[in-house]
Amino acid sequence: IKAGSMALVSNSRDEASILAEAFSFVAEHRFYLRKAVDHGDFYKAIRHSLSLANELRSSQLGPQSYYKLYSMVFVELQYLGAYLVETERHGFSLDEVFEIVQYEGNCLPRLYLLVTVGMVRMIAVPDATDEILQDLDDMVRAVQHPVRGLFLRYFLLQAVKDKLPVLQSGMMGALKFLLGTFKEVVILWQHLRVEAKAENDAWKLDDHRFSLRLLLGAHLMEISRLEGLTTALYAEVVLPELLNLVPACEDAAGQAYLLQLIVEVFADVYHLDTLEKIL
């Protein structure tokens, strides 16, 4: 067995061990989180939720392993959100919950909890949806680590996508948010780029970006699903914004994938009069 192959096997085993340890830690705090919720112990519920989200600070997991860990944490933060919305159970207003969480833990787990609280506040205070969304969007910009930032943005998208139709700023407000967050996602995704080792690999995405390409698609899909998105609005606003992002991918493979994504995500009707701009 070659030395390089042995190193790959060793790294794979190390990552599997790290992931198993993280799963075990999350499972433990999942138990205590749910126990705290059952007993109405607000502060313990927050503490164990922070401990869960803190596992996402890991820098030792590859994209696929990180996604598995994220999925496990996501479920528990949804459970926390369902508890927080029932203010009579824990005795705090949502504004008070937001203030309490703001001063807890490290940056990344704190942001996951703030997004969770923000999601609940958008439901409870419909008159403030735009302001809450803008605050959340501003806060998640603090995380510039590519993998952590991509998943935090994905979490924000999952948390607010069903609230976008009730924004006070309407469909254009939702479109502005989605285009802005897609831009940030493209930049983070591009930071994962690994230089091609061979000339014939220049048009092939490296493993890191390939593994997380679906996170880009998730954001773009929400734009394509916006109610009220017309072919004219797509041609005059959406497509120019998307094409402006292509140069952010400095390599041929990244640019080609981004263009491919635009063509695949939006229905054919949007491309009838605009395809020449892409080609």
Side-chain angles (χ1 to χ4, degrees):
I1 301 176
K2 295 182 179 180
S5 299
M6 292 179 64
L8 287 174
V9 171
S10 177
N11 288 339
S12 178
R13 286 176 178 170
D14 288 345
E15 184 172 327
S17 176
I18 292 168
L19 182 61
E21 185 178 340
F23 275 167
S24 176
F25 187 85
V26 169
E28 178 183 353
H29 284 278
R30 172 188 181 276
F31 171 80
Y32 287 116
L33 163 62
R34 294 183 177 237
K35 183 177 179 181
V37 168
D38 289 342
H39 288 81
D41 193 328
F42 170 80
Y43 283 104
K44 281 188 177 179
I46 294 296
R47 186 167 74 246
H48 290 297
S49 298
L50 283 166
S51 296
L52 285 164
N54 193 61
E55 287 301 292
L56 295 175
R57 294 175 64 208
S58 174
S59 58
Q60 298 175 293
L61 297 175
Q64 292 180 330
S65 295
Y66 193 96
Y67 179 77
K68 293 176 183 178
L69 181 60
Y70 165 87
S71 298
M72 192 173 182
V73 172
F74 173 80
V75 171
E76 300 313 314
L77 293 182
Q78 293 296 103
Y79 185 83
L80 175 69
Y83 167 64
L84 294 179
V85 76
E86 300 180 49
T87 53
E88 69 280 359
R89 291 184 65 186
H90 51 74
F92 294 90
S93 72
L94 292 177
D95 286 341
E96 289 173 328
V97 174
F98 195 80
E99 286 298 317
I100 291 168
V101 172
Q102 269 192 317
Y103 300 102
E104 294 288 338
N106 290 292
C107 178
L108 186 67
R110 181 170 68 246
L111 286 171
Y112 271 97
L113 260 66
L114 286 172
V115 171
T116 302
V117 179
M119 168 188 68
V120 175
R121 290 175 73 211
M122 289 181 75
I123 298 171
V125 194
D127 291 342
T129 50
D130 291 61
E131 180 183 349
I132 295 169
L133 182 61
Q134 183 61 57
D135 285 346
L136 295 176
D137 191 35
D138 290 341
M139 285 189 289
V140 298
R141 293 175 189 272
V143 179
Q144 291 299 313
H145 182 279
V147 174
R148 296 174 195 164
L150 279 169
F151 278 96
L152 179 60
R153 284 274 175 187
Y154 183 51
F155 182 71
L156 175 61
L157 179 70
Q158 290 180 297
V160 305
K161 63 182 182 181
D162 61 334
K163 287 75 172 182
L164 295 179
V166 299
L167 289 178
Q168 292 172 296
S169 53
M171 191 275 284
M172 292 304 296
L175 179 59
K176 180 182 178 182
F177 164 73
L178 289 171
L179 285 172
T181 199
F182 184 68
K183 176 182 178 180
E184 296 299 323
V185 165
V186 169
I187 293 171
L188 289 167
W189 182 75
Q190 178 60 16
H191 287 165
L192 291 169
R193 176 191 173 198
V194 176
E195 292 284 351
K197 296 181 179 180
E199 188 175 340
N200 60 352
D201 289 336
W203 290 90
K204 181 181 177 182
L205 283 178
D206 50 272
D207 290 344
H208 284 81
R209 286 187 298 171
F210 183 81
S211 297
L212 296 180
R213 70 195 187 285
L214 296 181
L215 296 186
L216 267 70
H219 288 268
L220 203 57
M221 188 68 73
E222 291 305 318
I223 297 176
S224 73
R225 290 172 176 168
L226 274 179
E227 187 175 348
L229 180 64
T230 63
T231 54
L233 188 58
Y234 170 79
E236 296 168 11
V237 177
V238 176
L239 184 59
E241 288 285 340
L242 297 180
L243 292 180
N244 283 339
L245 295 178
V246 174
C249 299
E250 299 173 354
D251 65 313
Q255 292 180 359
Y257 179 72
L258 195 54
L259 291 172
Q260 175 189 340
L261 195 61
I262 295 170
V263 172
E264 291 181 351
V265 166
F266 290 92
D268 292 345
V269 66
Y270 292 107
H271 300 309
L272 291 177
D273 297 321
T274 58
L275 196 56
E276 73 280 357
K277 295 181 180 178
I278 298 177
L279 300 176

